PDB file of all heavy atoms in Angstrom:
ATOM      1  N   GLN A   8      13.730  -5.325  -6.528  1.00 97.00           N
ATOM      2  CA  GLN A   8      15.016  -5.321  -5.829  1.00 97.00           C
ATOM      3  C   GLN A   8      16.063  -6.118  -6.621  1.00 97.00           C
ATOM      4  O   GLN A   8      15.745  -7.208  -7.086  1.00 97.00           O
ATOM      5  CB  GLN A   8      14.896  -6.036  -4.489  1.00 97.00           C
ATOM      6  CG  GLN A   8      13.897  -5.452  -3.545  1.00 97.00           C
ATOM      7  CD  GLN A   8      13.876  -6.243  -2.252  1.00 97.00           C
ATOM      8  OE1 GLN A   8      14.888  -6.319  -1.560  1.00 97.00           O
ATOM      9  NE2 GLN A   8      12.756  -6.844  -1.941  1.00 97.00           N
ATOM     10  N   HIS A  14      12.485 -13.642 -11.145  1.00 97.00           N
ATOM     11  CA  HIS A  14      11.779 -14.846 -11.586  1.00 97.00           C
ATOM     12  C   HIS A  14      10.449 -14.519 -12.265  1.00 97.00           C
ATOM     13  O   HIS A  14      10.045 -13.353 -12.367  1.00 97.00           O
ATOM     14  CB  HIS A  14      11.581 -15.799 -10.400  1.00 97.00           C
ATOM     15  CG  HIS A  14      10.900 -15.159  -9.218  1.00 97.00           C
ATOM     16  ND1 HIS A  14       9.579 -14.807  -9.216  1.00 97.00           N
ATOM     17  CD2 HIS A  14      11.381 -14.794  -7.999  1.00 97.00           C
ATOM     18  CE1 HIS A  14       9.263 -14.270  -8.053  1.00 97.00           C
ATOM     19  NE2 HIS A  14      10.350 -14.233  -7.289  1.00 97.00           N
ATOM     20  N   ASN A  17       7.915 -12.215 -10.471  1.00 97.00           N
ATOM     21  CA  ASN A  17       8.210 -10.784 -10.614  1.00 97.00           C
ATOM     22  C   ASN A  17       7.786 -10.305 -12.008  1.00 97.00           C
ATOM     23  O   ASN A  17       7.204  -9.237 -12.156  1.00 97.00           O
ATOM     24  CB  ASN A  17       9.717 -10.498 -10.460  1.00 97.00           C
ATOM     25  CG  ASN A  17      10.318 -10.980  -9.152  1.00 97.00           C
ATOM     26  OD1 ASN A  17      11.335 -11.666  -9.154  1.00 97.00           O
ATOM     27  ND2 ASN A  17       9.708 -10.649  -8.041  1.00 97.00           N
ATOM     28  N   LYS A 110      10.599 -12.205   7.177  1.00 89.00           N
ATOM     29  CA  LYS A 110      12.038 -12.056   6.919  1.00 89.00           C
ATOM     30  C   LYS A 110      12.840 -11.993   8.220  1.00 89.00           C
ATOM     31  O   LYS A 110      13.964 -12.491   8.268  1.00 89.00           O
ATOM     32  CB  LYS A 110      12.311 -10.850   6.019  1.00 89.00           C
ATOM     33  CG  LYS A 110      11.785 -11.097   4.602  1.00 89.00           C
ATOM     34  CD  LYS A 110      12.418 -10.221   3.545  1.00 89.00           C
ATOM     35  CE  LYS A 110      11.987 -10.726   2.166  1.00 89.00           C
ATOM     36  NZ  LYS A 110      12.350  -9.881   1.064  1.00 89.00           N
ATOM     37  N   GLY A 144       2.934  -7.116  -6.685  1.00 97.00           N
ATOM     38  CA  GLY A 144       2.375  -8.442  -6.431  1.00 97.00           C
ATOM     39  C   GLY A 144       1.587  -8.415  -5.125  1.00 97.00           C
ATOM     40  O   GLY A 144       1.671  -7.445  -4.355  1.00 97.00           O
ATOM     41  N   ASP A 146       2.017  -9.801  -2.314  1.00 96.00           N
ATOM     42  CA  ASP A 146       2.782  -9.692  -1.060  1.00 96.00           C
ATOM     43  C   ASP A 146       3.185  -8.256  -0.721  1.00 96.00           C
ATOM     44  O   ASP A 146       3.553  -7.980   0.419  1.00 96.00           O
ATOM     45  CB  ASP A 146       4.026 -10.599  -1.104  1.00 96.00           C
ATOM     46  CG  ASP A 146       5.012 -10.184  -2.178  1.00 96.00           C
ATOM     47  OD1 ASP A 146       4.574  -9.741  -3.250  1.00 96.00           O
ATOM     48  OD2 ASP A 146       6.225 -10.304  -1.937  1.00 96.00           O
ATOM     49  N   ALA A 181      -1.401 -12.691  -9.207  1.00 97.00           N
ATOM     50  CA  ALA A 181      -0.723 -11.720  -8.339  1.00 97.00           C
ATOM     51  C   ALA A 181       0.197 -12.419  -7.347  1.00 97.00           C
ATOM     52  O   ALA A 181       1.010 -11.783  -6.677  1.00 97.00           O
ATOM     53  CB  ALA A 181      -1.750 -10.879  -7.603  1.00 97.00           C
ATOM     54  N   ILE A 183       2.332 -15.793  -7.894  1.00 98.00           N
ATOM     55  CA  ILE A 183       2.767 -17.009  -8.594  1.00 98.00           C
ATOM     56  C   ILE A 183       3.438 -17.901  -7.538  1.00 98.00           C
ATOM     57  O   ILE A 183       4.225 -17.421  -6.712  1.00 98.00           O
ATOM     58  CB  ILE A 183       3.754 -16.649  -9.740  1.00 98.00           C
ATOM     59  CG1 ILE A 183       3.075 -15.746 -10.773  1.00 98.00           C
ATOM     60  CG2 ILE A 183       4.358 -17.904 -10.375  1.00 98.00           C
ATOM     61  CD1 ILE A 183       1.968 -16.393 -11.597  1.00 98.00           C
ATOM     62  N   LYS A 192       4.742 -18.936  -2.026  1.00 96.00           N
ATOM     63  CA  LYS A 192       4.959 -18.096  -3.221  1.00 96.00           C
ATOM     64  C   LYS A 192       6.325 -18.369  -3.844  1.00 96.00           C
ATOM     65  O   LYS A 192       7.275 -18.745  -3.134  1.00 96.00           O
ATOM     66  CB  LYS A 192       4.776 -16.606  -2.892  1.00 96.00           C
ATOM     67  CG  LYS A 192       5.986 -15.908  -2.358  1.00 96.00           C
ATOM     68  CD  LYS A 192       5.860 -14.393  -2.426  1.00 96.00           C
ATOM     69  CE  LYS A 192       7.181 -13.807  -1.933  1.00 96.00           C
ATOM     70  NZ  LYS A 192       7.577 -12.567  -2.535  1.00 96.00           N
ATOM     71  N   MET A 193       6.409 -18.194  -5.150  1.00 97.00           N
ATOM     72  CA  MET A 193       7.698 -18.285  -5.838  1.00 97.00           C
ATOM     73  C   MET A 193       8.545 -17.129  -5.315  1.00 97.00           C
ATOM     74  O   MET A 193       8.067 -15.999  -5.254  1.00 97.00           O
ATOM     75  CB  MET A 193       7.486 -18.172  -7.350  1.00 97.00           C
ATOM     76  CG  MET A 193       8.731 -18.412  -8.159  1.00 97.00           C
ATOM     77  SD  MET A 193       8.423 -18.347  -9.952  1.00 97.00           S
ATOM     78  CE  MET A 193       7.692 -19.930 -10.269  1.00 97.00           C
ATOM     79  N   SER A 194       9.780 -17.424  -4.928  1.00 95.00           N
ATOM     80  CA  SER A 194      10.580 -16.394  -4.262  1.00 95.00           C
ATOM     81  C   SER A 194      12.027 -16.418  -4.734  1.00 95.00           C
ATOM     82  O   SER A 194      12.552 -17.469  -5.089  1.00 95.00           O
ATOM     83  CB  SER A 194      10.497 -16.677  -2.753  1.00 95.00           C
ATOM     84  OG  SER A 194      11.392 -15.871  -2.062  1.00 95.00           O
ATOM     85  N   LYS A 195      12.648 -15.227  -4.698  1.00 91.00           N
ATOM     86  CA  LYS A 195      14.060 -15.134  -5.123  1.00 91.00           C
ATOM     87  C   LYS A 195      14.982 -15.850  -4.168  1.00 91.00           C
ATOM     88  O   LYS A 195      16.066 -16.288  -4.546  1.00 91.00           O
ATOM     89  CB  LYS A 195      14.498 -13.661  -5.108  1.00 91.00           C
ATOM     90  CG  LYS A 195      13.893 -12.797  -6.133  1.00 91.00           C
ATOM     91  CD  LYS A 195      14.565 -11.434  -6.016  1.00 91.00           C
ATOM     92  CE  LYS A 195      13.759 -10.354  -6.660  1.00 91.00           C
ATOM     93  NZ  LYS A 195      13.476  -9.237  -5.769  1.00 91.00           N
ATOM     94  N   SER A 196      14.582 -15.890  -2.879  1.00 85.00           N
ATOM     95  CA  SER A 196      15.507 -16.409  -1.878  1.00 85.00           C
ATOM     96  C   SER A 196      15.342 -17.914  -1.639  1.00 85.00           C
ATOM     97  O   SER A 196      16.036 -18.482  -0.813  1.00 85.00           O
ATOM     98  CB  SER A 196      15.339 -15.632  -0.570  1.00 85.00           C
ATOM     99  OG  SER A 196      13.984 -15.572  -0.222  1.00 85.00           O
TER     100      SER A 196
HETATM  101  N1  LIG B 401       5.701 -15.064  -6.456  1.00 96.34           N
HETATM  102  C1  LIG B 401       5.315 -13.861  -6.825  1.00 96.34           C
HETATM  103  N2  LIG B 401       4.177 -13.690  -7.533  1.00 96.34           N
HETATM  104  C2  LIG B 401       3.769 -12.458  -7.907  1.00 96.34           C
HETATM  105  N3  LIG B 401       4.451 -11.323  -7.627  1.00 96.34           N
HETATM  106  C3  LIG B 401       5.587 -11.434  -6.928  1.00 96.34           C
HETATM  107  N4  LIG B 401       6.483 -10.529  -6.486  1.00 96.34           N
HETATM  108  C4  LIG B 401       7.460 -11.162  -5.821  1.00 96.34           C
HETATM  109  N5  LIG B 401       7.237 -12.484  -5.804  1.00 96.34           N
HETATM  110  C5  LIG B 401       6.084 -12.692  -6.486  1.00 96.34           C
HETATM  111  C6  LIG B 401       6.361  -9.095  -6.727  1.00 96.34           C
HETATM  112  O1  LIG B 401       7.503  -8.674  -7.460  1.00 96.34           O
HETATM  113  C7  LIG B 401       7.792  -7.320  -7.126  1.00 96.34           C
HETATM  114  C8  LIG B 401       9.244  -7.178  -6.850  1.00 96.34           C
HETATM  115  O2  LIG B 401       9.588  -7.952  -5.737  1.00 96.34           O
HETATM  116  P1  LIG B 401      10.778  -7.461  -4.832  1.00 96.34           P
HETATM  117  O3  LIG B 401      11.992  -7.381  -5.651  1.00 96.34           O
HETATM  118  O4  LIG B 401      10.385  -6.224  -4.127  1.00 96.34           O
HETATM  119  O5  LIG B 401      10.980  -8.548  -3.771  1.00 96.34           O
HETATM  120  P2  LIG B 401      10.001  -9.494  -3.000  1.00 96.34           P
HETATM  121  O6  LIG B 401       8.602  -9.067  -3.006  1.00 96.34           O
HETATM  122  O7  LIG B 401      10.522  -9.693  -1.672  1.00 96.34           O
HETATM  123  O8  LIG B 401      10.176 -10.696  -3.966  1.00 96.34           O
HETATM  124  P3  LIG B 401      10.791 -12.101  -3.799  1.00 96.34           P
HETATM  125  O9  LIG B 401      11.082 -12.484  -5.193  1.00 96.34           O
HETATM  126  O10 LIG B 401       9.912 -13.017  -3.098  1.00 96.34           O
HETATM  127  O11 LIG B 401      12.105 -11.936  -2.992  1.00 96.34           O
HETATM  128  P4  LIG B 401      12.411 -12.553  -1.570  1.00 96.34           P
HETATM  129  O12 LIG B 401      12.800 -13.958  -1.815  1.00 96.34           O
HETATM  130  O13 LIG B 401      13.547 -11.718  -1.072  1.00 96.34           O
HETATM  131  O14 LIG B 401      11.177 -12.447  -0.721  1.00 96.34           O
HETATM  132  C9  LIG B 401       6.900  -6.950  -5.945  1.00 96.34           C
HETATM  133  O15 LIG B 401       5.847  -6.129  -6.405  1.00 96.34           O
HETATM  134  C10 LIG B 401       6.390  -8.276  -5.454  1.00 96.34           C
HETATM  135  O16 LIG B 401       5.101  -8.163  -4.905  1.00 96.34           O
END
Side-chain angles (χ1 to χ4, degrees):
Q8 301 180 61
H14 54 71
N17 303 129
K110 291 201 170 171
D146 64 324
I183 299 292
K192 86 164 183 148
M193 187 177 282
S194 171
K195 291 185 199 126
S196 50

